[in-house]
Amino acid sequence: MNEFAARFERQTRFAPLGLEGQRRLEQSKVLLVGCGALGGSLAQTFVRSGVGRLVVVDRDVVDVTNLPRQVLFEERDVGRPKVEAARETLARIGGPTRVETHAAHVDSDNLADLAEGCDLILDGTDNLATRYLVNDFAVERGVPWIYAGVVGASGLVMPVIPGRGACLRCIFPEPAPPGSLPTCDTAGVLLPAVAAIAAVQAGVALRLLGANEAERANLEPALVEIDVWHLETRQVSAERDPECPCCGARQFVFLWSPAERSAISLCGRNTVQVRPARPNSPRVDLARIAAGVRDSASNVRELGSLLAFEAEGCRFTLFPDGRALIEGTHELDRARTLYDRFIGS
């Protein structure tokens, strides 16, 4: 038995995959957007499963609060770019997978280059803006992708297979207004929930990449919800909306939006202005955001039509249209990350 066959023997004994499926995995290329909680679990799975090429993109650095749930990182990695630490951890696993990493913010300018030749895109990100961008790109190019998200003890998974079933905008036509949904920074998150959602996401991905054509055709796209705290699961059929603005009308507004719109550095002020993901976003609920950040931020104050608070060494000033000034940094990626963490997309 050669090294390849020996390494993946238990995996290839699984009949729906088999040796031919394993070889299909070895020939595939996957783009993983984000290598934090979900992305870290996914990256490990795909390297251990023998996917041929894994492209990992993440804009963030490792923080001590990541360590309870982000499995690629250790204390010694705090302050380092996540992709650097991830690359080292994944390299220690060995195997045939070629891992390519990029410390970057995924936007409409670079997504096509990052996804070139990819067979599948995986959602390991933490914000709605990138998800809607990826959805536009995947539908336009006909590339399958798998949406996933986790907050608290529960999460969602949905495969998007262009031409079959729903895309993200069929189910959620527009991004929720900033502050209207909980985030991991306002509602917390548990590692078991991350592990459960990542396992379902990875299972679907391996089927899409490794199964034969008939087995892939039998996959019915659905929105799956898992709650590990209350031991509850729910599955909803993901049917395509013929009037969907994305896969129906093929209006790819998130892909067409200029990348520089989302964040700009204000000259001479050590301040970055960050705008919400969607143009003409609804007015935000400042009181709701204030309540959400009160436990994780300091000096939270509602100043007439504005909300101000301090967190991570920066001062936030949030406007009713969702625009925020983040004082204390000139780094666009850091400002976007802070915006997503404390306000949402």
Side-chain angles (χ1 to χ4, degrees):
M1 183 179 293
N2 62 34
E3 182 181 352
F4 177 88
R7 186 181 188 97
F8 299 108
E9 188 221 2
R10 299 295 190 276
Q11 193 161 288
T12 56
R13 284 182 181 273
F14 179 62
L17 183 69
L19 186 58
E20 289 304 310
Q22 186 64 47
R23 296 199 183 281
R24 282 189 285 269
L25 290 182
E26 192 180 22
Q27 295 166 3
S28 64
K29 180 180 178 182
V30 175
L31 172 62
L32 173 58
V33 182
C35 64
L38 277 174
S41 293
L42 291 168
Q44 278 203 353
T45 297
F46 280 89
V47 170
R48 293 184 184 279
S49 298
V51 164
R53 187 173 173 190
L54 179 65
V55 180
V56 183
V57 189
D58 197 291
R59 70 189 183 190
D60 208 356
V61 298
V62 180
D63 184 83
V64 68
T65 62
N66 301 152
L67 301 180
R69 67 190 184 283
Q70 299 192 13
V71 297
L72 295 182
F73 312 127
E74 304 172 5
E75 283 188 359
R76 63 182 176 178
D77 296 319
V78 171
R80 300 180 63 201
K82 287 185 176 179
V83 291
E84 290 185 7
R87 184 172 60 245
E88 292 178 5
T89 301
L90 296 171
R92 289 195 291 270
I93 297 172
T97 303
R98 291 167 293 160
V99 178
E100 174 187 324
T101 58
H102 299 270
H105 170 73
V106 174
D107 58 32
S108 56
D109 282 346
N110 62 16
L111 179 53
D113 288 337
L114 293 168
E116 183 179 2
C118 283
D119 302 291
L120 180 68
I121 302 174
L122 291 172
D123 177 10
T125 188
D126 59 359
N127 69 92
L128 292 175
T130 305
R131 289 177 177 130
Y132 279 80
L133 170 65
V134 168
N135 185 74
D136 271 10
F137 176 85
V139 172
E140 186 205 34
R141 301 294 180 95
V143 178
W145 77 286
I146 305 177
Y147 156 75
V150 182
V151 174
S154 64
L156 299 170
V157 179
M158 187 179 78
V160 175
I161 307 173
R164 288 183 49 207
C167 80
L168 185 66
R169 296 194 71 187
C170 292
I171 307 300
F172 307 111
E174 301 291 343
S180 63
L181 296 177
T183 70
C184 292
D185 284 87
T186 60
V189 61
L190 294 179
L191 177 57
V194 172
I197 294 301
V200 174
Q201 191 179 7
V204 174
L206 291 175
R207 182 172 175 179
L208 288 172
L209 294 170
N212 59 39
E213 186 174 347
E215 185 73 13
R216 290 196 300 271
N218 287 333
L219 175 62
E220 292 294 334
L223 179 67
V224 178
E225 181 178 10
I226 299 175
D227 186 322
V228 301
W229 193 264
H230 297 102
L231 299 178
E232 296 175 349
T233 62
R234 184 168 65 101
Q235 179 171 314
V236 178
S237 177
E239 297 183 0
R240 185 177 178 186
D241 179 1
E243 298 184 359
C244 172
C246 180
C247 66
R250 299 189 69 79
Q251 297 293 312
F252 306 117
V253 295
F254 299 93
L255 186 60
W256 295 339
S257 295
E260 65 271 18
R261 178 185 54 79
S262 61
I264 56 172
S265 181
L266 303 186
C267 183
R269 291 183 52 188
N270 198 32
T271 299
V272 175
Q273 176 179 271
V274 183
R275 295 182 179 274
R278 181 159 60 93
N280 303 315
S281 180
R283 293 174 68 86
V284 299
D285 186 340
L286 296 178
R288 180 169 183 165
I289 295 176
V293 303
R294 206 168 294 278
D295 290 338
S296 54
S298 61
N299 203 18
V300 180
R301 293 170 295 153
E302 293 186 59
L303 306 173
S305 62
L306 305 178
L307 172 67
F309 59 92
E310 297 174 10
E312 300 287 334
C314 293
R315 173 184 167 86
F316 294 66
T317 303
L318 180 65
F319 297 81
D321 63 358
R323 180 171 57 92
L325 298 181
I326 303 179
E327 302 173 56
T329 184
H330 63 276
E331 299 174 5
L332 302 189
D333 284 354
R334 181 167 187 245
R336 291 188 189 101
T337 298
L338 291 171
Y339 186 97
D340 292 337
R341 287 178 58 190
F342 292 96
I343 298 170
S345 297

